[in-house]
Amino acid sequence: KLCGSNYPLSIAFIVVNEFCERFSYYGMRAVLTLYFISFFHWDENLSTAVYHAFSALCYFTPVIGAIMADSWLGKYK
């Protein structure tokens, strides 16, 4: 049990995992354009375009994975 509640201990691992995932995602988004401009010496337009592509792919690839899991890899086809 988790801290005397009725929740199982695995809930704590899920919450910590979500926190770490969000921390790394938003931390990377905060400095990604600056990294491209400073270290790769890309112009501002290219680095902004890659930044937006990264953000879009982070939200869109789970949809592709869900479609693949439900249709091709799923238990019930």
Side-chain angles (χ1 to χ4, degrees):
K1 292 186 176 186
L2 182 64
C3 298
S5 65
N6 290 331
Y7 295 116
L9 184 61
S10 60
I11 297 296
F13 292 109
I14 293 171
V15 170
V16 169
N17 185 25
E18 280 295 317
F19 171 76
C20 292
E21 179 184 344
R22 303 231 178 210
F23 183 76
S24 68
Y25 172 71
Y26 288 113
M28 185 181 299
R29 275 188 55 182
V31 296
L32 189 61
T33 306
L34 296 173
Y35 181 78
F36 288 150
I37 291 172
S38 299
F39 291 100
F40 287 161
H41 303 292
W42 292 353
D43 62 341
E44 192 169 331
N45 291 332
L46 178 61
S47 55
T48 303
V50 172
Y51 166 79
H52 288 296
F54 170 75
S55 297
L57 283 173
C58 283
Y59 285 107
F60 188 65
T61 52
V63 175
I64 295 172
I67 291 170
M68 284 176 39
D70 288 342
S71 64
W72 183 51
L73 300 171
K75 183 176 178 181
Y76 305 106
K77 294 183 179 180

